[in-house]
Amino acid sequence: MKHRTTLMRTAAAILLAGGGLLAGTPAHAAATACSGSACDGKDPSVYCQGDARTVQSLRLGQALLELRYSPSCRAAWARISNAGYDTRDQFTPYATVHRNSDGREYSCSVPNGDTDCYTRMVNDANVTSYAKGMWDSGARIYEDRTGSY
């Protein structure tokens, strides 16, 4: 009996020391998973980045606007990149994800000194969404939206 108790304690210590690995899956994977409506408003880099792909994109001058989608999460978000700007003479670039069924939106603005940002996610299960955004070149303002996905 003492051997079994020691073995169980040893196994528990190994699991805890190994970061909670169980059957080759990190313990945080279950805690960070979401799907559909459970993903609304959540950070895609924490929850759904693993299988994310760009499903729609377009250029706003030099900036790239993307509609990103995660099939496992069934959620979408917008990302803008290469969107540097000068706060003295340009507007702050932004990206917005818009869910068509109810108009739910999440937006991000590129932080001063940075070149990209991404929005929170919207549930995209059995509905469609699109990304919209803006980048100011200093000489011209580019504003547009992607197709829906």
Side-chain angles (χ1 to χ4, degrees):
M1 186 66 140
K2 182 178 179 181
H3 177 66
R4 183 184 302 169
T5 303
T6 303
L7 183 60
M8 290 173 69
R9 285 185 183 154
T10 302
I14 290 170
L15 283 173
L16 289 172
L21 296 179
L22 181 61
T25 303
H28 65 75
T32 59
C34 68
S35 182
S37 62
C39 294
D40 262 350
K42 293 194 171 147
D43 183 339
S45 71
V46 173
Y47 292 88
C48 301
Q49 190 62 32
D51 66 346
R53 62 183 192 251
T54 299
V55 292
Q56 298 279 332
S57 66
L58 57 85
R59 288 271 172 203
L60 300 170
Q62 74 178 24
L64 177 64
L65 177 67
E66 298 169 277
L67 178 63
R68 306 275 292 157
Y69 177 75
S70 165
S72 64
C73 291
R74 299 184 72 183
W77 61 96
R79 176 171 69 183
I80 191 168
S81 57
N82 200 31
Y85 65 103
D86 185 338
T87 56
R88 294 172 295 179
D89 63 355
Q90 291 173 279
F91 294 110
T92 304
Y94 71 86
T96 300
V97 64
H98 175 95
R99 183 170 53 220
N100 292 317
S101 62
D102 63 359
R104 163 69 84 185
E105 291 186 336
Y106 293 103
S107 296
C108 68
S109 296
V110 175
N112 188 14
D114 209 341
T115 61
D116 60 280
C117 70
Y118 59 89
T119 68
R120 298 288 179 160
M121 297 183 289
V122 292
N123 167 23
D124 202 49
N126 302 316
V127 296
T128 60
S129 302
Y130 64 84
K132 61 184 177 180
M134 185 276 298
W135 179 72
D136 179 358
S137 72
R140 178 178 170 202
I141 295 175
Y142 297 85
E143 202 163 12
D144 207 347
R145 61 164 272 189
T146 67
S148 293
Y149 180 85

